[in-house]
Amino acid sequence: MKLGILGYGNLGRGVESAVMQNDDVELKAIFTRRDPSTLTINSKTAKVISVDEIEKYKEEIDVLILCGGSATDLPEQTPKYAKMFNVIDSFDTHAKIPEHFQNVDRAAKEGKKIGIISTGWDPGLFSLNRMYANAILPEGSDYTFWGRGVSQGHSDAIRRVDGVLDAKQYTVPVQKALDSVKNLENPNLTTRQKHTRECYVVLKEGADPKKVEEEIKNMPNYFIDYDTTVNFISEEELKKNHSKIPHGGFVIRTGKTGINKENNHIIEYSLKLDSNPEFTSSVLIAYARAAYRLHKEGQTGARTVFDIAPSYLSPKSADELRRTML
Amino acid sequence: MKLGILGYGNLGRGVESAVMQNDDVELKAIFTRRDPSTLTINSKTAKVISVDEIEKYKEEIDVLILCGGSATDLPEQTPKYAKMFNVIDSFDTHAKIPEHFQNVDRAAKEGKKIGIISTGWDPGLFSLNRMYANAILPEGSDYTFWGRGVSQGHSDAIRRVDGVLDAKQYTVPVQKALDSVKNLENPNLTTRQKHTRECYVVLKEGADPKKVEEEIKNMPNYFIDYDTTVNFISEEELKKNHSKIPHGGFVIRTGKTGINKENNHIIEYSLKLDSNPEFTSSVLIAYARAAYRLHKEGQTGARTVFDIAPSYLSPKSADELRRTML
């Protein structure tokens, strides 16, 4: 399977790296909006090509992985490129998924291609686990916790505060809330009860820490509904201790069965990831394999993780899977 | 969807009870090899019918759930009834799955029906999680732990020991081994290091506890490779404290990504179940829904959990799933 990447940020570099763990996958090209000569890539085989030339590679690329952002890139890119390529994206604006799905479905059918949207781990693996658990235990409650991990959006928000040179924000699930769920207390949890926010902030010279801390803690949408701690550290410390992009989380469903609903069950799925972009990329590659196969079967249109039989993700044959993994 | 059950043991009663949690499912009939008049069932709507009459119900039942055992019942029953009905089983003799699959595939194609084999949680949900995790993290290690839970097979083995009136056996994962896996120590674990076996035994009058304990602990296949504890208790105590059938376990994959494999990831799936048969039944019903839909689409033949897109398990439409669960 010959892959292309569009966009060489954290996620694009993650896909480039994850290709090395997949023997059946070859990275052919990295497409960029920047001047290709300014990009230094890790891959020995891939070419760096301006996105303006992408149409010329329609025959060379089996699946194009779109590594742009959900806010402005993917709503435009995924439908556009689904007309020319089988595409995979990690579109994660949950409220806009139905609209995005329709746009990609229309384009992919027009191009006779497959477009798999909203893969990764949330949406993606977490969604799958919510769905399986709900189908199996119809009477119950769902809980999703994120972290401990770096939220790029919240880190960016802090960096926009006056007086801040650099920052990292960790989302942390509240252990007490997790315990309550696992103890079958069936809690109704507020935003504040589920997660705390830990900020590591480097100040610009002369900035007032009191003022910066107040501004962060009271920021609407991002921080005001949470218990937030702000730690001021040096630039060196930020680089040394906070340069990785870990993440993870928990999807838990608690449910009841029995004539008198006397039996409780807990289904729990959790991830603990050293590198969010590399893990997300690994999921994207597994779904690229699925897109490649679905297209070979003559299927077209948009798909999500819900629509794809698990075996399509594995390089092993159905026979081998039954023999070794069932 | 109109369901039939074949076999009214723990699993059959579990399916009967799990139907109550599923609004789109109606239990039409329980087929039994016993004299139907001797069965008292919980369902208000279902009829109890001799298995000898089952062919007459071909048009009335959308999916037949086979609730027999894997040793002798299912190898014969699943192919036999796949000629007449869409069928679901929980065949769990891992080594014989490929052969069973072929037999069911042939029969189901002949009858133009769908046969989904080896559903439940292991094989079943645990298999799914092993497979997804392997497809996503190709470089890594798999660990499956079972328990704490009742092993029916081991309990039966103890009951066959001379001097034993009744017994329950719990399989218990070793916390130290679990911790080692989660601490990324990548251990090679022996059978003894992964699980211990806890036995609760009621002696017959005059039996020698020393002799019974020795015989249990040295039983080949069942106990000799494990650290086993034997507790002698009264019949009343066994009834009071050990009448439930809980189970559960963990599927963990640890894997690496990164140019220099510098990043570690842990994918963990766990179940904690008050009632093994009721939970297994809940999985069977979700896959019965899938069988019903696949058959409606005109598909035929054998399937496993690997072959079935997740959305087939849910009563919700694809549109609703995307809107509410992605």
Side-chain angles (χ1 to χ4, degrees):
Chain A
M1 175 172 59
K2 290 168 196 130
L3 279 192
I5 291 172
L6 174 55
Y8 196 64
N10 279 331
L11 192 59
R13 280 194 297 273
V15 174
E16 181 188 29
S17 145
V19 164
M20 297 179 194
Q21 270 86 55
N22 288 275
D23 297 338
D24 60 334
V25 178
E26 187 192 346
L27 182 61
K28 291 294 278 187
I30 295 169
F31 299 99
T32 178
R33 287 177 290 199
R34 291 177 264 175
D35 172 357
S37 68
T38 64
L39 250 63
T40 311
I41 66 167
N42 290 305
S43 166
K44 304 263 185 291
T45 57
K47 292 174 277 190
V48 182
I49 294 162
S50 164
V51 71
D52 301 332
E53 317 256 305
I54 197 167
E55 278 211 58
K56 296 182 191 160
Y57 291 82
K58 275 166 67 171
E59 305 305 316
E60 271 187 62
I61 304 285
D62 294 316
V63 185
L64 181 67
I65 301 191
L66 302 171
C67 299
S70 294
T72 55
D73 297 334
L74 298 176
E76 187 223 327
Q77 289 177 350
T78 317
K80 178 173 175 185
Y81 295 113
K83 290 181 191 167
M84 312 175 210
F85 298 94
N86 297 307
V87 293
I88 306 290
D89 80 20
S90 57
F91 184 77
D92 66 358
T93 313
H94 290 258
K96 293 190 177 165
I97 285 175
E99 183 191 337
H100 187 58
F101 183 87
Q102 288 213 319
N103 293 339
V104 176
D105 193 48
R106 206 177 304 121
K109 279 177 179 156
E110 193 187 314
K112 297 199 167 58
K113 300 288 181 187
I114 288 285
I116 307 181
I117 66 158
S118 303
T119 67
W121 59 274
D122 197 0
L125 302 180
F126 273 20
S127 325
L128 271 180
N129 276 281
R130 281 188 287 264
M131 206 234 85
Y132 273 117
N134 272 269
I136 290 155
L137 294 175
E139 292 195 30
S141 307
D142 291 306
Y143 299 92
T144 301
F145 292 87
W146 295 275
R148 185 176 191 260
V150 171
S151 163
Q152 216 58 60
H154 288 79
S155 301
D156 290 345
I158 299 173
R159 283 187 208 106
R160 287 192 295 264
V161 170
D162 204 38
V164 171
L165 185 70
D166 203 351
K168 269 283 170 84
Q169 193 269 184
Y170 296 89
T171 306
V172 186
V174 175
Q175 191 59 47
K176 207 180 130 187
L178 261 170
D179 291 344
S180 169
V181 170
K182 294 192 198 183
N183 290 336
L184 297 167
E185 292 163 15
N186 221 23
N188 274 312
L189 298 162
T190 63
T191 299
R192 190 176 300 273
Q193 286 169 325
K194 287 184 72 184
H195 298 93
T196 56
R197 300 203 173 273
E198 258 177 55
C199 312
Y200 294 85
V201 180
V202 182
L203 289 173
K204 284 183 185 154
E205 241 190 84
D208 176 3
K210 273 262 161 63
K211 208 171 144 263
V212 168
E213 181 168 345
E214 281 311 298
E215 195 169 333
I216 293 172
K217 288 186 170 178
N218 292 306
M219 203 184 293
N221 302 319
Y222 287 92
F223 292 101
I224 196 159
D225 298 326
Y226 298 85
D227 289 340
T228 301
T229 53
V230 178
N231 306 284
F232 294 105
I233 61 175
S234 69
E235 208 174 345
E236 295 68 42
E237 218 180 324
L238 191 81
K239 244 183 215 143
K240 195 179 147 220
N241 298 329
H242 303 282
S243 64
K244 285 204 162 197
I245 318 175
H247 221 312
F250 304 80
V251 173
I252 303 172
R253 184 162 177 86
T254 57
K256 288 175 181 298
T257 64
I259 304 283
N260 301 305
K261 302 186 190 176
E262 66 275 27
N263 290 314
N264 288 293
H265 308 283
I266 307 176
I267 304 176
E268 179 179 339
Y269 182 77
S270 70
L271 297 172
K272 204 177 160 198
L273 315 172
D274 273 359
S275 165
N276 184 358
E278 283 179 14
F279 185 81
T280 300
S281 303
S282 302
V283 180
L284 296 184
I285 287 182
Y287 278 97
R289 190 176 285 121
Y292 177 58
R293 290 174 174 173
L294 290 167
H295 178 250
K296 266 192 165 173
E297 290 177 7
Q299 298 196 40
T300 64
R303 299 286 186 282
T304 75
V305 295
F306 297 148
D307 308 314
I308 294 170
S311 62
Y312 281 94
L313 308 189
S314 171
K316 296 187 178 179
S317 71
D319 210 53
E320 198 179 350
L321 287 177
R322 281 192 293 273
R323 226 171 42 234
T324 60
M325 296 220 166
L326 198 61
Chain B
M1 175 172 61
K2 289 168 196 127
L3 278 192
I5 291 172
L6 174 55
Y8 196 64
N10 279 333
L11 192 58
R13 279 194 297 273
V15 174
E16 181 189 28
S17 143
V19 164
M20 297 179 195
Q21 269 86 54
N22 287 275
D23 298 336
D24 58 334
V25 178
E26 187 191 348
L27 182 61
K28 291 294 278 186
I30 296 170
F31 300 99
T32 179
R33 287 178 289 198
R34 291 178 264 174
D35 172 357
S37 69
T38 64
L39 249 63
T40 312
I41 66 168
N42 290 307
S43 165
K44 305 262 185 291
T45 57
K47 292 174 277 189
V48 182
I49 294 162
S50 164
V51 71
D52 301 332
E53 316 257 304
I54 196 167
E55 278 209 59
K56 295 183 192 160
Y57 291 82
K58 275 166 68 171
E59 305 305 316
E60 270 187 61
I61 304 283
D62 294 317
V63 185
L64 180 67
I65 301 192
L66 303 171
C67 298
S70 294
T72 55
D73 296 334
L74 298 175
E76 188 223 324
Q77 289 176 349
T78 317
K80 179 173 175 186
Y81 295 112
K83 290 181 190 167
M84 311 176 211
F85 298 94
N86 297 308
V87 293
I88 306 290
D89 81 18
S90 58
F91 184 76
D92 67 358
T93 313
H94 290 258
K96 293 190 175 166
I97 284 173
E99 184 191 336
H100 187 58
F101 182 87
Q102 288 213 317
N103 294 338
V104 176
D105 193 49
R106 207 177 302 120
K109 279 177 178 154
E110 195 187 314
K112 298 198 167 59
K113 300 290 180 186
I114 288 284
I116 307 181
I117 66 157
S118 302
T119 65
W121 59 274
D122 197 0
L125 302 179
F126 272 22
S127 325
L128 272 180
N129 276 281
R130 281 189 286 265
M131 207 234 84
Y132 273 116
N134 271 269
I136 290 156
L137 294 175
E139 292 195 30
S141 307
D142 290 307
Y143 298 92
T144 301
F145 292 87
W146 295 275
R148 186 178 189 260
V150 171
S151 162
Q152 216 57 60
H154 288 77
S155 301
D156 290 344
I158 299 173
R159 283 186 208 107
R160 287 191 296 264
V161 170
D162 204 38
V164 171
L165 185 70
D166 203 352
K168 269 282 170 83
Q169 193 267 187
Y170 296 88
T171 307
V172 186
V174 175
Q175 191 60 46
K176 207 180 130 186
L178 260 171
D179 290 344
S180 170
V181 169
K182 294 191 197 183
N183 290 336
L184 297 166
E185 292 163 15
N186 220 24
N188 275 311
L189 298 164
T190 63
T191 298
R192 191 176 300 275
Q193 287 170 324
K194 286 183 74 184
H195 298 94
T196 57
R197 299 202 175 274
E198 259 177 53
C199 313
Y200 294 85
V201 180
V202 182
L203 289 173
K204 283 183 185 155
E205 240 189 87
D208 176 2
K210 272 260 160 65
K211 206 171 146 263
V212 168
E213 180 168 347
E214 281 310 298
E215 196 170 332
I216 292 171
K217 287 186 169 178
N218 292 305
M219 204 185 293
N221 302 319
Y222 286 91
F223 292 101
I224 195 158
D225 297 327
Y226 298 85
D227 289 339
T228 300
T229 53
V230 178
N231 306 283
F232 294 106
I233 59 174
S234 69
E235 210 175 343
E236 293 69 43
E237 219 179 323
L238 191 80
K239 242 182 217 146
K240 195 179 146 220
N241 299 329
H242 304 282
S243 63
K244 285 203 160 197
I245 317 175
H247 220 314
F250 304 81
V251 173
I252 303 173
R253 185 163 176 85
T254 57
K256 288 174 181 298
T257 64
I259 305 284
N260 302 303
K261 301 185 191 178
E262 65 275 27
N263 290 315
N264 289 294
H265 309 283
I266 307 176
I267 304 176
E268 179 180 339
Y269 182 77
S270 70
L271 296 173
K272 204 175 161 199
L273 315 173
D274 273 357
S275 164
N276 184 358
E278 283 179 14
F279 185 81
T280 300
S281 303
S282 301
V283 180
L284 296 183
I285 288 182
Y287 278 97
R289 190 176 285 122
Y292 177 59
R293 290 174 175 174
L294 290 167
H295 178 250
K296 264 193 168 172
E297 291 177 8
Q299 298 197 41
T300 65
R303 298 286 187 280
T304 75
V305 295
F306 297 149
D307 308 312
I308 294 171
S311 61
Y312 281 94
L313 308 189
S314 172
K316 296 187 178 180
S317 71
D319 210 55
E320 198 179 350
L321 287 176
R322 280 193 295 274
R323 225 171 43 234
T324 60
M325 296 220 166
L326 200 61

